[in-house]
Every structure is written in C-alpha cells, then in structure tokens.
Amino acid sequence: MSGTGTVTATPNTTAITSTTVRGRVATVLAVLLALGIGYVGVNYLLAPESTASGFGLPEWPHGGAAAFLDAKGIRDLASGIAVLVLLGTGHRRALGRLLLVDALIPLGDAITVLTHHGSAVAAFGIHGATAVTVAATGALLLTERRSTSS
C-alpha cells in the first residue's frame, strides 16, 4: 500500500487471463490429440486386427490387403508426431492451420464408415467427435493473441 491507502501492483504480478486459459486449454487438447492418435497408430502397427474392429467398418482387409492397416498406423503415428513437433517448436499458428486440415481425416473416416454400412455410433461418436475436437483445437490456436513481448 502507498501512503494514500491505495494498493499498487508490482510489475512482476502475473494475472491469469482468459487468453492464458485459452492457450493452456489449446495446448492440453493438442497434446492429448497427438498422444491419442499416436497411440492408435502404434496399435495399428502392433496389433492391427484387434485395433481395426473399433474403427466402425463391417469388414477389414485380409491377407496381403491387410497392409492397409499398417498404412493407417503409420499415418496416425505421423499425424501425432507432427502435432508434437509444431507444438514443441512454438509454431502455434502453423499447428492451428495443420489441425484444421487434419480435421478432414476423421471427417473422411466418418463418411467412409457410413457409406460402407458401418457403425453409425463409431462414425459419429468416434470419428465425428474427433473431427470436431481437432477443428476446435485448431480454431483455439488460430485465435490466440500474439505475444508482444519477446
């Protein structure tokens, strides 16, 4: 307090603002999405038959055609790593753009499941919800205020 009875703030005081909270939420969501899709990718590479059943399609490729499951595993693992690389290097706007584009992957997966008479629950509950979450996280990152301090 100063001699006049007023409280003065010190320059080192850090306030938690809605901008800070939004940034932390975006970071947590991005990390969870990256780890989640990376985990799915690893599972497709290590145990493709058991993992594939949760995708929502009524049938899966067998024999030599099952290599498509490896391709899905690699795609998912690489998607997770790309998110972590951009986040780790501080390229948050680029990450936001990437996530908006990446939201097309689960959207396409949902459409694929529905058009091949798969599970509507999986199409909407897994793939649709993932698409919305990925797009929302991208939007949060793109609407962050840029820091003016270096």
Side-chain angles (χ1 to χ4, degrees):
M1 285 188 129
S2 68
T4 61
T6 59
V7 177
T8 56
T10 60
N12 294 335
T13 302
T14 306
I16 297 179
T17 64
S18 64
T19 303
T20 304
V21 171
R22 284 172 50 104
R24 288 182 182 166
V25 168
T27 299
V28 168
L29 286 172
V31 168
L32 290 175
L33 288 167
L35 294 177
I37 198 59
Y39 175 78
V40 169
V42 168
N43 281 332
Y44 268 98
L45 292 170
L46 298 178
E49 295 82 15
S50 61
T51 305
S53 63
F55 191 84
L57 288 173
E59 293 183 44
W60 280 97
H62 300 284
F68 280 105
L69 300 177
D70 291 340
K72 178 174 175 13
I74 292 166
R75 174 192 83 172
D76 290 349
L77 183 57
S79 293
I81 291 170
V83 169
L84 293 175
V85 166
L86 287 174
L87 191 61
T89 56
H91 292 91
R92 295 176 70 84
R93 292 193 61 79
L95 176 56
R97 290 182 186 106
L98 174 70
L99 289 175
L100 287 179
V101 172
D102 277 356
L104 296 173
I105 296 170
L107 179 62
D109 291 346
I111 292 168
T112 299
V113 168
L114 291 172
T115 58
H116 288 88
H117 309 291
S119 167
V121 171
F124 294 112
I126 297 170
H127 306 296
T130 300
V132 169
T133 304
V134 171
T137 304
L140 276 174
L141 287 161
L142 287 174
T143 58
E144 287 181 345
R145 293 177 197 231
R146 295 186 186 196
S147 175
T148 55
S149 61
S150 300

